[in-house]
Amino acid sequence: MKKKRWYILGGGLLLAAAVLIGAALWIQTHPAETAETRVQAAVAEHVAERAVPPASTAPGPEDTPAPEATEPPYESPVDFPSLWEMNSEIYAWLYIPGTEVNYPILQREGNDKFYLNHNSQGRYSDGGAVFTESAYNSKDFTDPVTLVYGHYMRSGTMFGSLQATYTAENGMAEHQEIIVYLPEQELHYQVFAAVPFNMRHILYYNDFRNRKVFEAFLEQVMSVRSINASIDGEAEVTAEDQLLILSTCLRGDSKQRYLVLAKRMADISAP
């Protein structure tokens, strides 16, 4: 009788363990929807809709010309209020169409290392978050150079896909646009270089308000020769441009960084 009871108990424990393992696997493959995942979907849909031309019909000989359509007011696809409920230090959103880069940008005043090992919800995470440094950059992207950091993750998350994206054949041509969303504005950048670079802190060692320093930096970037370098030789970039630089680790060489550089091309703002 005791033996039978042990069989029943053992079977129950095995069943409970199977249920727990199954639940864990389901959670991993079906992550709970959050404000961040909703924004990721909305941003991707927003850009996809922009790429589809509106349907039109050719007017007949007796058709009266339609009145000129007025441009609808700008409405950001990013639900910033929902993101702020999750973390008030989210101030922008970064998206590279057609890639995995689709993340909030954060900044913690007075502690620029915080998001090296904390995620966008402010919780400890080896993957960290995408962030800028308050010591060097404002939050309005008006600095001569805005430097955005993200870890190289082998899973491809954060900035883990940048090097594979821009070293691929036609990678730059297919992913030349970067979009930064702010609460009342979206900024469009054009990538002109993706290169390995030294470990020196770019904003600490370069005063980009100095034209000669800016030009020397651009010359250094455009002269990089490496199997991992992709440069648009026809791009016109000057010290008058505002740059966005994405910085991560270089795969295969811990003594270098991997930079994606883009210049600001256009803005879309709320009226």
Side-chain angles (χ1 to χ4, degrees):
M1 192 72 175
K2 284 185 179 180
K3 195 171 183 181
K4 184 176 181 182
R5 198 175 295 148
W6 278 110
Y7 280 138
I8 294 172
L9 181 60
L13 289 172
L14 286 172
L15 180 61
V19 169
L20 288 173
I21 292 171
L25 290 172
W26 191 93
I27 289 171
Q28 287 181 350
T29 55
H30 298 78
E33 186 181 53
T34 64
E36 186 171 334
T37 58
R38 287 194 296 272
V39 169
Q40 287 175 330
V43 166
E45 183 179 359
H46 172 76
V47 173
E49 288 177 350
R50 180 195 64 181
V52 178
S56 62
T57 55
E62 298 179 0
D63 287 343
T64 303
E68 188 173 330
T70 57
E71 191 74 21
Y74 172 73
E75 184 176 347
S76 174
V78 178
D79 184 357
F80 279 101
S82 292
L83 293 173
W84 292 331
E85 288 180 11
M86 184 178 75
N87 188 338
S88 62
E89 293 179 334
I90 295 172
Y91 74 94
W93 192 276
L94 175 71
Y95 183 48
I96 304 180
T99 76
E100 298 297 316
V101 179
N102 190 1
Y103 297 108
I105 303 176
L106 298 96
Q107 186 181 102
R108 171 158 290 206
E109 189 70 33
N111 186 356
D112 287 331
K113 295 183 178 180
F114 183 79
Y115 287 109
L116 279 170
N117 53 17
H118 288 80
N119 64 19
S120 57
Q121 298 180 37
R123 298 172 182 165
Y124 183 84
S125 169
D126 289 336
V130 173
F131 68 96
T132 57
E133 295 178 308
S134 64
Y136 301 98
N137 281 133
S138 63
K139 297 179 183 178
D140 58 8
F141 290 83
T142 58
D143 296 314
V145 174
T146 298
L147 189 60
V148 182
Y149 295 93
H151 281 307
Y152 166 75
M153 303 299 290
R154 292 183 180 181
S155 63
T157 57
M158 297 295 107
F159 284 173
S161 64
L162 287 180
Q163 190 172 340
T165 296
Y166 289 103
T167 55
E169 186 177 1
N170 300 321
M172 183 175 293
E174 294 173 0
H175 305 289
Q176 200 155 25
E177 181 182 37
I178 298 178
I179 306 172
V180 172
Y181 294 94
L182 299 171
E184 302 294 332
Q185 188 180 27
E186 64 182 65
L187 314 176
H188 292 254
Y189 294 83
Q190 181 175 310
V191 177
F192 63 87
V195 297
F197 209 71
N198 62 53
M199 296 285 287
R200 288 163 63 89
H201 193 295
I202 292 172
L203 296 180
Y204 179 83
Y205 286 102
N206 295 280
D207 180 2
F208 288 104
R209 294 167 298 181
N210 183 313
R211 185 182 183 88
K212 289 186 178 180
V213 171
F214 203 137
E215 290 175 345
F217 174 78
L218 287 175
E219 184 177 352
Q220 186 179 7
V221 167
M222 301 302 275
S223 64
V224 172
R225 297 294 178 266
S226 166
I227 192 171
N228 291 310
S230 300
I231 296 173
D232 182 355
E234 297 181 1
E236 295 183 5
V237 189
T238 72
E240 304 300 321
D241 290 310
Q242 289 181 342
L243 303 189
L244 175 70
I245 301 179
L246 310 183
S247 176
T248 191
C249 296
L250 178 68
R251 184 183 67 234
D253 187 348
S254 61
K255 296 182 180 180
Q256 291 194 83
R257 304 289 294 172
Y258 185 75
L259 307 181
V260 176
L261 301 97
K263 73 172 187 174
R264 189 162 164 177
M265 299 294 291
D267 306 345
I268 303 174
S269 305

